Amino acid sequence: MAGIGGRSGESSSSAFAPIRAWLILPTWLIIGFFLVVPVGTMLVYSFLTKEFRGGVIWEFSLAAYDRFIFDRGLFGDEPPKLELTYITIFARSTIQAAAATLLCLIIGFPTAFYIATRPVSTRAIWLFLVTVPYWVNLLVRTVSMKFLIRESGPLNSFLQWTGAISEPLQIINTDFAVQLGLFYSYLPFMVLPIYASVERYDFALSEAAADLYATRWTILRKVLLPTVKPGIIAGCILVFVPSLGAFLAPDLLGGAKNFMIGSLIEEQFKGNAGNWPFGAAAAMILLSMVLVVLMIYARRQSGRSRE
């Protein structure tokens, strides 16, 4: 019987071949306007010169990138020295993002496994409970976290009431507070991809391994984890990348002493005192770091698929 919308013997995909490019055109327009144009603009601005009163001068230079690497003094006329301030901020951000990813993995994997092994009729309820707090704006949730863990907040009041502590804990404006904010913000990004992988997992493999006298640890390490590895990697990427550029949690929970890359970039575009070329250069360096990591991962996966 002839396929719908095509001649006899012609597949539906072939029937739509002449208009395939037009079908994807809206997607390309959206990607071009909301991704390529902003990134391209940021790239151009990173090579411009800062105007003294704010804004930019359309004179191309490498001053923004030079400032990131070298310290040439207040007026730029001193011998260059290695600038450790911004490198330290990038290193701190990388460590914080990696720690948030690890913490989300430690909590998210058992959570996803538990949800995926519930009866089908109740899984939607568990997923709803995981995602419903994230229907609220991130700013509102971060401010709520700050209210919760401040010295006079509910957490300290409860711990003092139970006698666990005698003095309020200083949590705000610490790396631990930033870590809490990142973990709370991006935990579902870890749970959902792992849940999708575990849900497709064939538990007959675990039963077969158990019949061959494999321990639970061996089954987890050699059977389950390799099978659901794509979901784990996807979750790690989805948590690490936004954590690396986050600025709400560092700003509201970490304070000035716990600056991260996102906070540094944000500061450069505030008011007339900001340095737009330097902020754009920092953003491009951050983007380059992320792209390098993703490209290395993609090449490794491509190599393994060919093998």
Side-chain angles (χ1 to χ4, degrees):
M1 185 172 65
I4 298 175
R7 294 184 297 273
S8 177
E10 184 180 23
S11 66
S12 59
S13 60
S14 299
F16 288 102
I19 61 171
R20 189 176 299 163
W22 292 101
L23 293 175
I24 202 173
L25 180 61
T27 301
W28 283 116
L29 290 176
I30 292 174
I31 293 175
F33 186 76
F34 291 106
L35 178 63
V36 177
V37 172
V39 172
T41 303
M42 193 75 68
L43 178 62
V44 172
Y45 267 62
S46 70
F47 290 103
L48 298 180
T49 304
K50 177 185 182 298
E51 209 278 327
F52 182 75
R53 293 168 295 181
V56 296
I57 301 174
W58 286 85
E59 296 178 0
F60 288 90
S61 72
L62 295 173
Y65 293 95
D66 181 84
R67 178 186 173 186
F68 184 86
I69 301 174
F70 299 109
D71 178 12
R72 300 180 183 273
L74 181 61
F75 300 102
D77 55 354
E78 299 179 10
K81 297 182 296 183
L82 185 63
E83 176 59 80
L84 297 178
T85 302
Y86 306 121
I87 297 175
T88 301
I89 292 175
F90 266 63
R92 182 191 300 123
S93 301
T94 304
I95 294 172
Q96 286 279 37
T101 303
L102 180 61
L103 184 59
C104 286
L105 178 60
I106 293 173
I107 303 299
F109 183 85
T111 303
F113 185 86
Y114 178 84
I115 296 174
T117 53
R118 296 307 91 197
V120 177
S121 59
T122 62
R123 290 179 190 174
I125 299 176
W126 287 106
L127 290 175
F128 173 78
L129 293 176
V130 170
T131 58
V132 67
Y134 299 86
W135 296 3
V136 181
N137 185 272
L138 178 60
L139 175 60
V140 176
R141 289 189 280 115
T142 307
V143 172
S144 300
M145 172 68 72
K146 183 175 183 178
F147 170 78
L148 178 66
I149 63 177
R150 64 179 182 175
E151 291 188 16
S152 58
L155 177 62
N156 273 311
S157 299
F158 174 75
L159 292 176
Q160 287 182 293
W161 177 74
T162 59
I165 58 174
S166 57
E167 297 290 336
L169 297 175
Q170 177 59 43
I171 303 177
I172 293 293
N173 297 334
T174 64
D175 287 334
F176 178 71
V178 175
Q179 194 57 229
L180 275 179
L182 294 176
F183 167 75
Y184 177 62
S185 298
Y186 303 114
L187 178 61
F189 294 175
M190 182 69 72
V191 173
L192 297 180
I194 297 178
Y195 163 78
S197 293
V198 176
E199 189 184 32
R200 295 191 298 266
Y201 174 70
D202 186 0
F203 284 90
L205 298 174
S206 298
E207 296 175 2
D211 291 340
L212 295 174
Y213 304 103
T215 63
R216 292 183 178 181
W217 170 247
T218 302
I219 295 172
L220 173 66
R221 185 166 53 91
K222 293 189 176 182
V223 181
L224 178 61
L225 288 180
T227 306
V228 302
K229 183 179 178 181
I232 294 175
I233 294 176
C236 290
I237 292 175
L238 290 175
V239 172
F240 180 79
V241 172
S243 296
L244 191 62
F247 68 89
L248 277 179
D251 278 4
L252 297 177
L253 302 176
K257 294 183 179 180
N258 298 279
F259 242 40
M260 289 179 61
I261 303 175
S263 305
L264 173 65
I265 296 172
E266 181 205 15
E267 285 293 322
Q268 304 309 312
F269 290 95
K270 280 185 176 180
N272 294 330
N275 188 334
W276 290 12
F278 179 71
M284 296 309 302
I285 293 172
L286 172 61
L287 178 62
S288 300
M289 289 173 54
V290 173
L291 288 179
V292 167
V293 172
L294 294 180
M295 288 176 63
I296 292 175
Y297 167 71
R299 287 178 64 87
R300 291 185 60 182
Q301 290 298 110
S302 177
R304 290 176 180 176
S305 63
R306 285 195 298 268
E307 292 175 359

